[in-house]
Structures are given as structure tokens and as C-alpha cells.
Amino acid sequence: MNNETQQAGWQVVLNTELRRLWLGWRGPLLLLVFSLFLSVYVILLAAYPEINVLSQRKMIDQTIQATVLVGIIAVLLLGADSFSGERDQRTLESLLQTPAPRGQLVIGQLPAIVTPWLGILRFSLLYISFHR
């Protein structure tokens, strides 16, 4: 198997997963839910006197910790859904019959799975910049 076929295999998988994630409902919905969660979380940290005993630096640390936790959970759920979604949509057999090696199929799905975390980090940086 030559290098061009292997590269084309993971690129096809990457493009398919990105389209399914961002042109479908999963990516935008995930970012919407995260932004609502982070808005409520920051308001709770800042508004209530019982919780507002934290310094500004600790509030930023709490926001970062929540972002990392939600990002890890989102990536794990999207990763599991990505591979099981192939089976549910009955595209796993055709995907496994492609001439690309199995490792290339996984490598093509990994960057697509991580892209929502980049959006989550972008939202959290906006909230952190407002803390300062």
C-alpha cells in the first residue's frame, strides 16, 4: 500500500467525521450546552456570597478545572459515539472494507473528536478574560 492511499484514507475519514460533527447537531449543540453551563457556573461563583469567598485567582482556577473536566467528558463521549455511531449507522462494514489500514481510520477520527474541545477552550478563555 503506498503512502498516498494511506494519507487519502485518513483524510477521507477526517472530512467525513468533521462534516458529521459540525454540520450535524452534535458539535454546535455541545458548544451551546457548554456555554450555558459555564454562564451559570460563573454567575454562581460571582454572585452568591456563600460561594463568593474565593479570590479572583481561585475563581479562574475553578473555571479552568470545569473546562478541562467538561472537555475530557465531551471528547470521551464523542469518541465512543464516533466508533459506535459507525455501527449504528451501518457504515462500519464499508469503512472496514476500505483499502486504508485500521490505524489510519482511527487517526482520521481522532482530530475530529478533539475539535469540540478547541471550541470549549475558546469559550472558556472568553469567560476567563472577563474574570480579570
Side-chain angles (χ1 to χ4, degrees):
M1 191 152 272
N2 62 14
N3 225 2
E4 294 170 4
T5 305
Q6 290 176 355
Q7 185 177 13
W10 73 264
Q11 286 178 341
V12 168
V13 172
L14 175 63
N15 290 334
T16 303
E17 286 298 316
L18 285 174
R19 275 194 310 270
R20 189 182 320 164
L21 180 66
W22 291 107
L23 296 178
W25 58 271
R26 292 184 300 168
L29 181 65
L30 178 68
L31 291 181
L32 175 68
V33 169
F34 175 73
S35 66
L36 292 174
F37 162 75
L38 200 57
S39 296
V40 170
Y41 187 72
V42 168
I43 288 171
L44 286 175
L45 282 177
Y48 290 101
E50 297 85 29
I51 302 173
N52 199 5
V53 296
L54 301 175
S55 67
Q56 184 177 8
R57 178 71 188 152
K58 288 186 180 184
M59 287 177 66
I60 292 172
D61 289 344
Q62 290 293 320
T63 305
I64 291 171
Q65 287 176 1
T67 300
V68 170
L69 177 66
V70 169
I72 289 171
I73 291 170
V75 167
L76 287 174
L77 289 175
L78 286 173
D81 184 53
S82 174
F83 290 105
S84 68
E86 297 289 344
R87 185 183 53 146
D88 293 342
Q89 296 171 4
R90 299 176 196 239
T91 55
L92 182 63
E93 291 82 14
S94 62
L95 184 66
L96 291 175
Q97 290 175 355
T98 59
R102 307 295 183 252
Q104 293 290 319
L105 301 177
V106 173
I107 289 172
Q109 287 187 343
L110 288 178
I113 294 168
V114 175
T115 57
W117 198 340
L118 300 175
I120 287 172
L121 288 176
R122 189 174 207 172
F123 272 112
S124 67
L125 289 176
L126 289 172
Y127 283 93
I128 289 171
S129 68
F130 286 124
H131 274 302
R132 292 180 180 227

